[in-house]
Amino acid sequence: MRPCFFVSNAMYRIIHYRDLLTDLTLRQVKIHYRRSILGILWSLLNPLLTLVVFSFVFQQVVPLNIKHYSAYVFCGLLAWNWFSSSINMAAYTITFNRELVRRPEFNTEILVAVNVASNMVSYLLALPILLGLLLLDGLYPGWNYLFLPLILLIQFMFTFGLSLIISALNVYYRDIGHLVSAVIVIWFYVTPVFYRVGDTKRGYEWVFNINPMALILDMYRNIFVNAEIPDVMNLGIVSVVSILMLLIGYLIFSRLKHNFVDEL
């Protein structure tokens, strides 16, 4: 009962403070693009520029022969950018918000949730471009899109749980931020964002089987590119992993947050 209690308590706090979460998320999105000429368009241009580079390299220079490659890559890029941006920023979520953290009764978990939610907004804003690429390839939305909110929730829980751990540890050990940046680069290359697992050398399948982001990307592609429902086994595995990550993250954060004010 206790694990269920902690997970439900973490989600309850998010729902209970949904108005504050919404206000802070919109505030962070505005601050992030303030004083830039193109503003929020940068959230669309960055993945589009990466898509152009990948499409040129892996369709013209080193052809990977992946069907609907533009939609395939963009689908992976959007989910990966949401995850990697959230994780990279998580390390500084607490340390960059000293004034809020020092306020009595302020729930610091909200700051971590705002970070994940604001990057999720960028993901959602770029979805119409993905749908446009799919339509150009003759791929139309179907009833399997009903699974999308579930996959979004799973990715949110996994990212939020991991972000809780990173943000709390970085308050005590400032090396965590640098370590996370290095790990994210390695994690990108062992996640099939721009290539296909089936094209990799035999014997390395386990790398993808233990990688939650590889499973999450696979489920997104099942919905958008393959016009299928997500693989049931992958769905079950990554759901359990995400709940466990949220549980572990919440426990670690709850234990460490009481000394945040002294450490900042």
Side-chain angles (χ1 to χ4, degrees):
M1 290 296 291
R2 288 181 66 82
C4 294
F5 168 76
F6 283 120
V7 171
S8 60
N9 193 36
M11 297 307 294
Y12 168 78
R13 282 175 177 268
I14 292 176
I15 296 171
H16 183 71
Y17 294 102
R18 58 185 180 280
D19 291 338
L20 177 61
L21 177 62
T22 302
D23 290 342
L24 290 177
T25 300
L26 294 176
R27 173 177 166 268
Q28 180 154 322
V29 171
K30 290 177 182 175
I31 290 174
H32 188 67
Y33 296 105
R34 188 171 58 188
R35 296 183 183 278
S36 68
I37 296 174
L38 297 180
I40 204 164
L41 285 177
W42 280 114
S43 68
L44 309 179
L45 287 176
N46 284 328
L48 277 174
L49 290 172
T50 309
L51 171 65
V52 170
V53 173
F54 281 164
S55 295
F56 174 73
V57 173
F58 296 113
Q59 283 188 301
Q60 303 299 324
V61 181
V62 188
L64 293 180
N65 298 318
I66 296 176
K67 197 174 180 181
H68 308 303
Y69 189 71
S70 296
Y72 179 91
V73 169
F74 201 67
C75 181
L77 270 176
L78 292 186
W80 176 261
N81 285 349
W82 171 17
F83 173 72
S84 62
S85 298
S86 300
I87 298 302
N88 274 321
M89 293 166 66
Y92 310 101
T93 301
I94 304 299
T95 54
F96 283 4
N97 288 282
R98 288 179 173 83
E99 298 305 318
L100 287 174
V101 174
R102 286 171 175 160
R103 289 185 182 179
E105 305 300 325
F106 182 79
N107 286 284
T108 46
E109 298 93 333
I110 292 296
L111 293 173
V112 186
V114 165
N115 173 46
V116 180
S118 62
N119 284 294
M120 182 180 175
V121 169
S122 297
Y123 174 93
L124 295 175
L125 288 173
L127 268 187
I129 297 177
L130 174 60
L131 294 176
L133 291 173
L134 292 166
L135 291 175
L136 286 175
D137 282 345
L139 300 171
Y140 300 97
W143 66 271
N144 56 323
Y145 275 47
L146 294 174
F147 283 88
L148 182 59
L150 177 61
I151 310 305
L152 292 173
L153 176 62
I154 289 171
Q155 181 170 351
F156 186 94
M157 288 195 298
F158 179 72
T159 309
F160 182 39
L162 188 55
S163 296
L164 284 170
I165 299 172
I166 293 168
S167 60
L169 290 178
N170 193 61
V171 175
Y172 296 87
Y173 309 102
R174 301 301 167 87
D175 294 322
I176 294 297
H178 302 287
L179 179 62
V180 166
S181 298
V183 170
I184 282 294
V185 172
I186 298 170
W187 200 336
F188 172 76
Y189 287 104
V190 297
T191 301
V193 176
F194 59 89
Y195 59 89
R196 192 168 45 194
V197 174
D199 295 332
T200 57
K201 192 174 181 179
R202 292 186 63 182
Y204 290 97
E205 294 86 356
W206 64 271
V207 174
F208 308 104
N209 291 334
I210 63 170
N211 180 354
M213 283 308 298
L215 300 180
I216 289 174
L217 261 59
D218 184 63
M219 292 191 293
Y220 280 121
R221 283 168 175 152
N222 279 339
I223 293 174
F224 289 119
V225 183
N226 301 329
E228 300 172 346
I229 64 171
D231 182 90
V232 175
M233 182 172 290
N234 285 350
L235 184 62
I237 292 172
V238 82
S239 296
V240 172
V241 170
S242 297
I243 291 171
L244 286 175
M245 182 60 75
L246 181 58
L247 168 66
I248 295 168
Y250 186 71
L251 288 173
I252 292 175
F253 193 93
S254 298
R255 175 160 294 192
L256 297 180
K257 72 176 184 179
H258 300 295
N259 294 322
F260 280 173
V261 175
D262 297 331
E263 296 293 333
L264 290 174

